[in-house]
């Protein structure tokens, strides 16, 4: 994230933390807490979720979200929605009011509307900052294409790196998928993840965020996990479930989170971040990018930051 956006990110994650904690403090469920935390970040234009998200190749916002209950393994997800301000709310309705797990596109929007959610116009989700960001990126991409030989282009496309616009060490731009994990007083855990996806993505492209076990996972027998970053490698590694399995095998969340980031980098040269929580209340936060905004709170401690070193 750029230097001039650091304060906004810290404020954003702290506001989300406060919203989730209010739910838990009054005895609410972890599932409700992660939903409320993610809604705050979807409504915050700082992040790549809800209004203010990255635009796809056609200049539209397309949103994905998933929420999962560790007690029951019930989950709800929506993908490629263009007319919902808060896709995590729609995902929650899928979990709570549908026998299914996932709806996409117009079907997801119809389901949400039938269950009481107001639809908006896609233009209501677009902000000038992202219009200009897309314009600049597409102009630079066109220039690179004209300057690069066909053989070089073929070599580049084989890596898949062109699917994710910024480099992992580019701090002038943020990859701001949002997520939350929570543990309630009944010992249940939950996770939620929401995103606008990658800059200049192909219309209809789904990333890891809303796929069970990839960008989001929760199981009372292991952990609640949410990831952010370059979606394609995260999907290939089923990274959230991979991390939860390490915790179920007896490893602590902090170690497992760091190992997940190492695995992502070493196996597929992927970059991203992860938050993890087990049913005993141990947390893990890790990223292999220069920065990732995070915040956590327990009955004993509260902390937030943009960098997380191995503990």
């Amino acid at each position: 994230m750029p230097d001039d956006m650091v304060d906004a990110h810290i404020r954003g994650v702290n506001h989300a933390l406060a919203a989730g904690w209010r739910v838990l403090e009054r005895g609410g469920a972890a599932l409700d807490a992660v939903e409320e935390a993610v809604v705050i970040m979807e409504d915050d234009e700082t992040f790549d979720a809800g209004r203010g998200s990255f635009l796809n190749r056609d200049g539209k916002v397309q949103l994905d979200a998933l929420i999962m209950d560790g007690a029951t393994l019930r989950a709800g997800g929506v993908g490629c929605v263009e007319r919902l301000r808060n896709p995590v709310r729609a995902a929650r309705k899928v979990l709570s009011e549908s026998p299914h797990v996932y709806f996409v596109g117009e079907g997801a929007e119809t389901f949400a509307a039938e269950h009481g959610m107001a639809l908006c116009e896609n233009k209501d989700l677009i902000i000038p900052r992202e219009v200009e960001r897309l314009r600049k990126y597409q102009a630079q991409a066109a220039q690179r294409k004209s300057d690069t030989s066909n053989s070089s282009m073929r070599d580049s496309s084989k890596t898949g790196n062109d699917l994710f616009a910024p480099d992992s060490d580019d701090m002038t731009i943020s990859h701001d998928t949002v997520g939350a994990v929570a543990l309630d007083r009944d010992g249940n855990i939950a996770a939620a993840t929401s995103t606008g996806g990658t800059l200049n993505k192909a219309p209809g492209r789904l990333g890891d965020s809303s796929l069970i076990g990839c960008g989001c996972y929760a199981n009372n027998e292991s952990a609640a996990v949410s990831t952010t970053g370059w979606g394609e490698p995260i999907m290939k590694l089923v990274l959230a479930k991979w991390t939860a399995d390490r915790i179920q095998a007896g490893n602590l969340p902090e170690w497992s989170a760091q190992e997940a980031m190492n695995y992502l980098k070493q196996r597929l040269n992927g970059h991203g971040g992860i938050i993890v929580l087990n049913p005993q209340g141990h947390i893990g936060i890790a990223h292999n990018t220069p920065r990732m905004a995070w915040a956590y709170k327990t009955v004993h401690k509260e902390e937030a930051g943009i960098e997380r070193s191995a503990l």
Side-chain angles (χ1 to χ4, degrees), residues 137-310:
Y137 176 76
Q138 291 183 335
Q140 291 168 355
Q143 185 62 47
R144 285 195 302 269
K145 185 175 181 179
S146 67
D147 292 346
T148 307
S149 67
N150 289 333
S151 61
S152 295
M153 284 300 292
R154 285 196 297 270
D155 290 343
S156 175
S157 64
K158 286 179 183 178
T159 71
N161 288 338
D162 55 325
L163 293 172
F164 192 72
D167 293 329
S168 63
D169 58 355
D170 183 358
M171 289 200 294
T172 66
I173 194 170
S174 296
H175 327 309
D176 295 319
T177 292
V178 303
V181 293
L183 167 67
D184 61 34
R185 64 177 57 178
D186 293 326
N188 297 316
I189 56 177
T193 309
S194 182
T195 190
T198 56
L199 176 64
N200 198 47
K201 66 183 180 182
R205 176 263 189 189
L206 271 175
D208 66 292
S209 300
S210 61
L211 300 181
I212 292 179
C214 298
C216 187
Y217 188 72
N219 184 345
N220 277 11
E221 296 181 358
S222 55
V225 185
S226 180
T227 72
T228 180
W230 179 14
E232 277 69 19
I234 291 172
M235 285 188 281
K236 292 170 186 177
L237 299 177
V238 198
L239 195 62
K241 181 62 162 61
W242 184 95
T243 307
D245 286 347
R246 267 77 198 149
I247 295 168
Q248 190 167 9
N251 296 303
L252 288 173
E254 190 68 35
W255 182 91
S256 300
Q258 292 291 340
E259 282 300 295
M261 292 298 96
N262 294 340
Y263 181 42
L264 178 63
K265 180 66 175 178
Q266 293 167 4
R267 185 66 178 88
L268 290 173
N269 196 32
H271 52 271
I274 191 168
I275 56 174
V276 187
L277 174 68
N278 72 5
Q280 291 72 44
H282 301 130
I283 65 166
I285 301 169
H287 53 99
N288 62 14
T289 54
R291 292 170 172 170
M292 180 184 78
W294 53 268
Y296 74 87
K297 185 172 183 176
T298 72
V299 292
H300 303 296
K301 187 176 182 181
E302 180 174 353
E303 191 175 357
I306 57 167
E307 297 178 5
R308 184 75 168 184
S309 300

Side-chain angles (χ1 to χ4, degrees), residues 24 29 57 173 240:
L24 298 175
R57 191 173 61 203
I173 194 170

Side-chain angles (χ1 to χ4, degrees), residues 29-35 65-78 87-103 108 111-112 115 117 189-193 210 212 216-219:
L31 197 63
D32 295 328
V34 296
E35 179 183 359
L66 183 83
I67 188 168
M68 188 165 183
D69 179 11
T72 64
L73 298 186
R74 293 183 69 182
V78 295
V88 75
R89 294 277 198 221
R92 176 63 187 273
K93 287 187 176 292
V94 175
L95 183 155
S96 301
E97 302 179 34
S98 167
H100 308 299
V101 171
Y102 213 99
F103 285 89
F111 174 86
H115 288 78
M117 290 189 65
I189 56 177
T193 309
S210 61
I212 292 179
C216 187
Y217 188 72
N219 184 345

